[in-house]
Amino acid sequence: DQQVKQNSPSLSVQEGRISILNCDYTNSMFDYFLWYKKYPAEGPTFLISISSIKDKNEDGRFTVFLNKSAKHLSLHIVPSQPGDSAVYFCAASEAGANNLFFGTGTRLTVIP
Amino acid sequence: EAGVTQFPSHSVIEKGQTVTLRCDPISGHDNLYWYRRVMGKEIKFLLHFVKESKQDESGMPNNRFLAERTGGTYSTLKVQPAELEDSGVYFCASSQGRVGGAFFGQGTRLTVV
């Protein structure tokens, strides 16, 4: 059973607008959450993370929000750029654990 | 600094054959992980090495998969004999500290026909 879910397989956004990618999880033991970006024929690249003690983390155009009560996190990209077009994976890990649980990914297309 | 390198980038083998995937982690990274993505699905954890020791192999699908990391440097993942459902992209990652800081390789796309 998947513990991290990304229910939107794809998202299209106009350049300059906001992209919002969503992720839900079921395991209340997760304490660290990450977003990875993946281009074709490349491995996932770390983008941004958030600890469960926070509800927001910002890095330039990228902001991750965490709602622990809803077991939901989201990634906001603003403004979106064509180079942001990629597959975005949400991932999570438990405290002290050594493995990541990934979602199925959301393909973001930013239209120039 | 070189990143995580995986070889080969693609492999097509027949059912019943053996395939060995190789991963060279970033120099100095004690932690090495193998993950697999089956077409369109999530990226799933296979196992974790700390240096040459297997810390967690709970994600290994079955005993047809064997991972090694001799000397705590590069790692190999052998599939013997390969089955159709083994097809997918196999990713290797390495990190110094917690898995959240892991760097991924470009992956090996394995196709079993």
Side-chain angles (χ1 to χ4, degrees), chain A residues 14-96:
Chain A
Q14 285 290 134
E15 180 179 3
R17 306 294 290 268
I18 185 171
S19 295
I20 300 176
L21 296 97
N22 294 303
C23 177
D24 297 290
Y25 62 95
T26 58
N27 186 346
S28 57
M29 300 300 292
F30 286 150
D31 77 331
Y32 191 60
F33 304 87
L34 310 91
W35 284 94
Y36 281 83
K37 177 178 178 179
K38 185 184 176 307
Y39 292 117
E42 294 184 9
T45 302
F46 169 75
L47 191 58
I48 191 169
S49 64
I50 188 167
S51 164
S52 61
I53 62 173
K54 294 186 174 182
D55 55 17
K56 177 183 174 181
N57 187 27
E58 191 172 352
D59 183 2
R61 297 185 297 113
F62 303 91
T63 303
V64 56
F65 294 92
L66 175 63
N67 182 335
K68 282 179 292 186
S69 61
K71 293 191 177 67
H72 176 83
L73 67 156
S74 61
L75 173 68
H76 292 211
I77 307 173
V78 55
S80 301
Q81 299 174 353
D84 296 330
S85 297
V87 178
Y88 289 78
F89 289 94
C90 172
S93 69
E94 296 182 11

Side-chain angles (χ1 to χ4, degrees), chain A residues 2 31-32 34 36 38 42-44 89 93-94 98-100 102-104, chain B residues 33 35 37 40-43 45 48 56 91 98-100 102 104-106:
Chain A
Q2 266 189 269
D31 77 331
Y32 191 60
L34 310 91
Y36 281 83
K38 185 184 176 307
E42 294 184 9
F89 289 94
S93 69
E94 296 182 11
N98 296 297
N99 57 312
L100 290 172
F102 283 86
T104 51
Chain B
Y33 312 85
Y35 285 83
R37 187 184 190 206
K41 298 197 173 180
E42 73 270 30
I43 300 171
F45 168 80
H48 168 224
D56 181 355
F91 292 105
R98 190 172 177 177
V99 66
F104 280 76
Q106 83 281 12

Side-chain angles (χ1 to χ4, degrees), chain B residues 67-81:
Chain B
E68 295 181 322
R69 192 183 182 194
T70 308
T73 54
Y74 71 91
S75 175
T76 58
L77 179 64
K78 182 191 289 189
V79 185
Q80 179 183 30

